[in-house]
Amino acid sequence: MKARDISGQAPGGKRRVLAEVLPLDTPYVLQIFPIYACNFRCGYCIFSVPNAKRHFISDQIVMDFDLYKKCIDDMSLFPNKVKVLRFVGIGEPLLHKNIAEMVQYAVSKEVANVVEILTNASLLTPNLSDSLIAAGLSRLVVSLQGTRQEKYKEVCGANVDFEQLTGNLKYFFQKKNGTQVYIKIINCALDGREDEQRFYEIFGNICDTMAIEHAVPIHAGVSYEKVLKDKKSEVTQFGLPVSEVQICPQSFFTLQINPDGKIVPCYSFEYPGIMGDCRKETVADIWNGRPFQEFRRKTLDGSRYVCEVCANCNINKYRLFPEDVLNNDAERLKKYYES
């Protein structure tokens, strides 16, 4: 196996201690949410919840390409490059017809150190692979839902030609020119140790890094009792020990731009608030604007005091990295976020 197994580690590598670098004049991570749609219905995801039972997500399903270009142009107003520009959100990014052009535009503007896509890869054809590689994609993150076609049907309700999927990933890996390929699988998509070994055998030579992650209860409305293998959820998504989060760090280093141009401060599907609208303001102005600053200031008093969404959120509890803990630095940091 040529790939490096990074199970139990931060997928992006070594992290800075967040409290030592705040406040940030430029976000570390900026997520582009290009399309609110998915061709899978995974049991651990919000797409397993009927539309009528979901909260507000976006006024638009598909991000307009002109709006996207404005957002990228806005990023040039930051003093530094964003560390990671990530195409993800609530859905499958490869469903956006302009995804390769989006990557190319971001790369050409040099607004981020890394431009990456998180995808289920079921739509990754050789032609699309060629386009993404030519566009300069830095990193392809592939989330698998099984090691055989039958398991895919069980986990995500989709009829996936597993051999074709594997062949397309092999094609991408062989053709890539500097793009890093990370292939991961959720533990509920594996059937025991033999299946884990099968995962490593099939994909160990067609990616740079790989990992087994853990299904964790992070989205309201999802029936996790049907999918959780770690019944007590004693580890995070990345296999690290779970700890209670007093202060959610996400709004201090990241933001997400939704298909309608609205910016949210974290990875929660139940938004704690809208920080601004890219159609009316620049991304940089929103990052430094009063709503975002006030939200961060409230967060430093403790997430449970911010709003009901933050008080009941499990996302960072099950996705927290030790370097991001702000509990002991809250009082010192408050002066940076006063109105």
Side-chain angles (χ1 to χ4, degrees), residues 319-337:
R319 301 194 76 206
L320 183 70
F321 295 103
E323 296 87 349
D324 296 342
V325 174
L326 298 177
N327 299 347
N328 296 330
D329 295 274
E331 290 303 318
R332 175 181 64 82
L333 292 172
K334 285 180 180 179
K335 64 179 179 289
Y336 297 116
Y337 302 101

Side-chain angles (χ1 to χ4, degrees), residues 272-329:
I274 304 296
M275 301 296 106
D277 188 335
C278 295
R279 295 169 296 187
K280 303 174 182 177
E281 308 167 78
T282 70
V283 177
D285 283 345
I286 294 171
W287 173 256
N288 294 303
R290 186 165 185 166
F292 225 144
Q293 293 293 78
E294 289 181 348
F295 182 85
R296 296 178 184 118
R297 175 60 183 81
K298 289 179 182 178
T299 299
L300 289 171
D301 286 330
S303 295
R304 67 183 183 275
Y305 299 118
V306 179
C307 62
E308 185 177 354
V309 169
C310 293
N312 296 320
C313 184
N314 272 338
I315 287 183
N316 220 54
K317 175 180 179 180
Y318 291 108
R319 301 194 76 206
L320 183 70
F321 295 103
E323 296 87 349
D324 296 342
V325 174
L326 298 177
N327 299 347
N328 296 330
D329 295 274

Side-chain angles (χ1 to χ4, degrees), residues 2 36 50 52 59 66 97 139 141 145 151 167 173 180 184 215 234-235 241 287 290 299 326 337:
K2 297 178 181 178
Y36 176 37
D59 287 326
D66 286 337
K97 67 178 183 178
R139 191 169 186 240
V141 182
Q145 309 305 323
K151 192 64 178 181
F173 189 73
Q180 290 290 300
K184 60 177 182 170
E234 296 174 346
V235 295
W287 173 256
R290 186 165 185 166
T299 299
L326 298 177
Y337 302 101

Side-chain angles (χ1 to χ4, degrees), residues 159-195:
N159 291 311
V160 173
D161 186 328
F162 186 75
E163 296 303 319
Q164 184 178 66
L165 171 66
T166 305
N168 287 338
L169 288 171
K170 183 177 181 180
Y171 178 91
F172 189 100
F173 189 73
Q174 291 175 337
K175 295 290 185 177
K176 74 187 183 77
N177 182 22
T179 307
Q180 290 290 300
V181 178
Y182 170 41
I183 296 180
K184 60 177 182 170
I185 193 167
I186 203 80
N187 63 340
C188 64
L190 293 168
D191 294 321
R193 291 296 178 88
E194 289 187 7
D195 209 16

Side-chain angles (χ1 to χ4, degrees), residues 26-301:
T26 305
Y28 276 173
V29 180
L30 194 153
Q31 292 198 161
I32 296 289
F33 173 9
I35 187 166
Y36 176 37
C38 191
N39 55 334
F40 284 5
R41 294 293 181 270
C42 299
Y44 55 85
C45 175
I46 194 173
F47 277 97
S48 66
V49 178
N51 283 342
K53 294 185 178 180
R54 298 179 203 168
H55 51 84
F56 169 75
I57 299 292
S58 175
D59 287 326
Q60 291 180 207
I61 299 298
V62 181
M63 178 176 278
D64 178 77
F65 192 55
D66 286 337
L67 173 60
Y68 166 77
K69 289 194 292 185
K70 177 193 178 297
C71 293
I72 297 300
D73 293 344
D74 286 353
M75 290 173 62
S76 66
L77 300 174
F78 284 122
N80 300 292
K81 287 185 179 181
V82 170
K83 290 185 179 297
V84 179
L85 175 64
R86 178 181 298 142
F87 292 91
V88 61
I90 308 171
E92 170 50 54
L94 299 191
L95 283 169
H96 198 294
K97 67 178 183 178
N98 298 119
I99 190 65
E101 292 90 341
M102 286 176 154
V103 171
Q104 190 278 329
Y105 192 78
V107 172
S108 70
K109 291 296 182 177
E110 299 183 342
V111 293
N113 294 330
V114 172
V115 179
E116 69 178 24
I117 292 176
L118 177 56
T119 174
N120 63 38
S122 64
L123 303 173
L124 187 68
T125 63
N127 284 341
L128 181 54
S129 292
D130 290 340
S131 297
L132 291 172
I133 293 167
L137 184 68
S138 308
R139 191 169 186 240
L140 181 73
V141 182
V142 178
S143 183
L144 299 177
Q145 309 305 323
T147 63
R148 58 190 188 280
Q149 186 165 332
E150 297 78 13
K151 192 64 178 181
Y152 261 80
K153 182 67 174 178
E154 176 188 330
V155 173
C156 66
N159 291 311
V160 173
D161 186 328
F162 186 75
E163 296 303 319
Q164 184 178 66
L165 171 66
T166 305
N168 287 338
L169 288 171
K170 183 177 181 180
Y171 178 91
F172 189 100
F173 189 73
Q174 291 175 337
K175 295 290 185 177
K176 74 187 183 77
N177 182 22
T179 307
Q180 290 290 300
V181 178
Y182 170 41
I183 296 180
K184 60 177 182 170
I185 193 167
I186 203 80
N187 63 340
C188 64
L190 293 168
D191 294 321
R193 291 296 178 88
E194 289 187 7
D195 209 16
E196 290 181 12
Q197 187 59 35
R198 176 176 165 81
F199 164 64
Y200 288 113
E201 289 174 355
I202 294 173
F203 299 99
N205 290 318
I206 58 172
C207 62
D208 299 289
T209 53
M210 60 194 311
I212 297 174
E213 295 186 353
H214 299 258
V216 289
I218 56 177
H219 302 309
V222 176
S223 300
Y224 285 102
E225 66 274 7
K226 298 178 182 179
V227 297
L228 287 183
K229 288 201 171 184
D230 298 322
K231 297 299 182 183
K232 296 181 181 179
S233 301
E234 296 174 346
V235 295
T236 68
Q237 177 181 334
F238 307 106
L240 301 172
V242 168
S243 58
E244 292 298 326
V245 180
Q246 298 176 28
I247 298 170
C248 176
Q250 289 184 8
S251 66
F252 295 90
F253 69 89
T254 190
L255 62 84
Q256 176 173 289
I257 305 176
N258 286 357
D260 56 7
K262 293 185 174 67
I263 283 181
V264 294
C266 62
Y267 306 148
S268 171
F269 291 175
E270 298 83 25
Y271 304 145
I274 304 296
M275 301 296 106
D277 188 335
C278 295
R279 295 169 296 187
K280 303 174 182 177
E281 308 167 78
T282 70
V283 177
D285 283 345
I286 294 171
W287 173 256
N288 294 303
R290 186 165 185 166
F292 225 144
Q293 293 293 78
E294 289 181 348
F295 182 85
R296 296 178 184 118
R297 175 60 183 81
K298 289 179 182 178
T299 299
L300 289 171
D301 286 330

